[in-house]
Amino acid sequence: MTSWVEQIPTEKIIEWRRHLHQNPELSYKEFETSQFIYDTLSTFPNLEIIRPTETSVVAILEGGAGEGKTIALRGDMDALPIMEEADVEFKSTKDGIMHACGHDTHVAMLLGAAKVLSKMKDEIKGKVKFIFQHAEEMVPGGAQEIVDAGVLKDVDEIYGIHIFPTMKAGSLGVVTTGYATTAADGFFLKIQGKGSHASTPELSIDPVVVGSQLVLALQTIVSRNVKPSEMVALSIGEFHSGQAANIIADTARLSCSIRTISEEARDLVEKRVKEIIENVTAAYGATYELDYVRGYSALYNTPELAQKAVASATKVLGEELVYESPMLMGSEDFSAYTKVGPGCFMFLGGGTDEDGCGYFNHHPKFKIVEESMFNGTKVEVQVILDLLGK
């Protein structure tokens, strides 16, 4: 095992993570979190620390071994509006806010990598940027603001890690063949009909009937308008209307989640959704209000970088803990980085059911094996040493 591994501040990583877990903050409101990160980084040597946005932090390490590439590592920091139910000693102290997606672990891992690498300045050629990013959980997302602030202008490659319970603790999955996540779009629809008593349906424009027709018609987009290879998913998750059995309501509300990979399919689905809503409501004499939301784009892992990540991870974790991951149907604003340059996003196992970690991200009982974080730090450091080591 390489000697620098012994320098990983394992106790501090857990301490940092627990502090952040107990003090979560929502997207765009990470004032205490970003200050904690800034203050912690200030205790490390050889770092220039900047604040590209109000609640983000970037630490820059200029290598002392000559010219080289600029490589970025990213960790996100925001929490979710969820009441914690996890059985841990260090529960959130903030009512209704919880680190239910593991961003506290991402910060702790990256702080660990920054601490180790900041002491290895003379062994590094080029530059490392440690990006502590705000607001991953809320569209339009902090990643786009980081890009807009020019942080990636000189970055040649960017890498990130996300922790997931229900996966073997300390294992690392990498999608090496391209897209690692899907785009996440959707809509919120209000159908305006005309209510009446149920005994006089001829006087009504029934929004339940209109909505039911829409639910069925929208399903044909996936089955008839896009190629099966596009892997499009369209799911109506909400349909509300009515107040009593003998009353035909005035309005109905639908909401929908849409997952796509290619921008071509993404544009086509949006076009067809709008056409179907327009024509079905018109056919019944109803009107509507549509809020169509485009979320994060699909995240593309540059295959060359993914292979580099696999090689680095294998060095420090061993072949038995590194695997080819399937694409996840979730979404991530790390995609804003991969739209402007080469990038690779990795999946870190946080523990399985046997470890008491059987609840996935965004669940109020989300929990991870904390020692998993050490492997995340190992991979982040090894990636930098493989790419920039003298």
Side-chain angles (χ1 to χ4, degrees):
M1 183 63 69
T2 50
S3 60
W4 60 260
V5 171
E6 299 173 0
Q7 302 301 313
I8 293 176
T10 53
E11 292 184 4
K12 295 300 289 185
I13 288 173
I14 290 178
E15 179 186 317
W16 295 328
R17 185 263 169 148
R18 291 186 177 190
H19 170 81
L20 294 167
H21 193 86
Q22 288 183 300
N23 298 279
E25 294 179 296
L26 297 176
S27 303
Y28 299 104
K29 298 178 181 178
E30 311 94 331
F31 299 106
E32 294 177 6
T33 302
S34 59
Q35 189 61 50
F36 174 80
I37 293 168
Y38 185 96
D39 292 343
T40 303
L41 289 167
S42 297
T43 67
F44 304 164
N46 302 316
L47 296 178
E48 176 192 357
I49 308 171
I50 61 173
R51 303 293 297 266
T53 71
E54 191 174 21
T55 58
S56 64
V57 185
V58 175
I60 303 167
L61 174 63
E62 289 275 3
E67 297 295 318
K69 290 184 175 181
T70 298
I71 307 297
L73 300 173
R74 174 270 209 166
D76 42 8
M77 67 173 77
D78 52 329
L80 288 158
I82 292 173
M83 179 67 74
E84 182 161 18
E85 298 177 12
D87 180 21
V88 295
E89 299 173 2
F90 45 92
K91 280 188 177 181
S92 169
T93 60
K94 297 191 177 180
D95 193 42
I97 305 177
M98 176 193 175
H99 269 296
C101 200
H103 296 184
D104 52 342
T105 72
H106 302 167
V107 171
M109 289 188 291
L110 191 54
L111 284 173
K115 185 173 178 64
V116 172
L117 289 165
S118 67
K119 298 177 181 178
M120 304 176 74
K121 174 183 174 73
D122 292 338
E123 299 178 40
I124 292 172
K125 298 180 297 183
K127 184 189 300 181
V128 186
K129 286 190 172 183
F130 304 93
I131 300 174
F132 295 87
Q133 181 213 302
H134 61 303
E136 190 280 328
E137 298 288 1
M138 184 179 290
V139 175
Q144 188 58 54
E145 287 193 347
I146 295 289
V147 171
D148 293 343
V151 175
L152 263 67
K153 282 184 178 178
D154 62 342
V155 170
D156 296 293
E157 302 175 11
I158 184 168
Y159 296 82
I161 295 178
H162 200 302
I163 199 165
F164 291 102
T166 73
M167 300 179 185
K168 184 177 180 179
S171 63
L172 193 89
V174 185
V175 177
T176 63
T177 54
Y179 286 102
T181 72
T182 63
D185 302 328
F187 66 77
F188 301 91
L189 174 69
K190 177 184 175 182
I191 302 167
Q192 183 64 55
K194 181 181 178 183
S196 75
H197 193 276
S199 64
T200 57
E202 73 278 6
L203 301 179
S204 72
I205 298 173
D206 191 342
V208 172
V209 173
V210 179
S212 298
Q213 292 294 328
L214 280 172
V215 170
L216 294 174
L218 289 167
Q219 302 307 310
T220 65
I221 297 174
V222 176
S223 65
R224 293 295 180 268
N225 295 134
V226 297
K227 299 174 183 177
S229 59
E230 290 283 0
M231 295 179 65
V232 172
L234 185 152
S235 302
I236 304 294
E238 180 183 32
F239 189 162
H240 290 303
S241 186
Q243 57 186 0
N246 62 345
I247 299 293
I248 294 174
D250 286 309
T251 63
R253 295 180 185 274
L254 280 74
S255 67
C256 177
S257 173
I258 300 167
R259 304 286 166 152
T260 55
I261 300 173
S262 73
E263 289 297 310
E264 180 183 7
R266 192 181 192 187
D267 292 341
L268 173 62
V269 171
E270 179 178 357
K271 177 174 179 289
R272 291 295 294 132
V273 163
K274 291 178 176 178
E275 289 172 346
I276 288 171
I277 291 172
E278 172 72 25
N279 288 291
V280 170
T281 54
Y284 285 89
T287 58
Y288 67 92
E289 296 174 13
L290 174 65
D291 179 17
Y292 196 99
V293 180
R294 285 179 77 104
Y296 303 145
S297 300
L299 192 167
Y300 184 78
N301 270 1
T302 305
E304 179 188 355
L305 272 62
Q307 292 293 349
K308 292 178 184 178
V310 167
S312 296
T314 302
K315 283 184 183 179
V316 287
L317 305 185
E319 290 184 1
E320 68 278 3
L321 287 179
V322 182
Y323 65 96
E324 171 71 36
S325 173
M327 182 188 72
L328 297 187
M329 292 300 285
S331 67
E332 236 288 346
D333 83 337
F334 192 89
S335 59
Y337 301 132
T338 63
K339 288 180 77 172
V340 298
C344 175
F345 199 62
M346 299 166 269
F347 308 133
L348 178 67
T352 62
D353 232 353
E354 287 102 15
D355 304 309
C357 304
Y359 294 94
F360 202 61
N361 304 61
H362 290 219
H363 193 280
K365 293 184 179 179
F366 171 93
K367 189 166 69 172
I368 58 103
V369 175
E370 290 185 300
E371 290 76 14
S372 302
M373 296 187 289
F374 308 155
N375 280 5
T377 296
K378 288 177 186 177
V379 172
E380 288 172 335
V381 173
Q382 189 64 57
V383 164
I384 295 302
L385 294 179
D386 285 344
L387 296 176
L388 302 181
K390 68 178 181 180

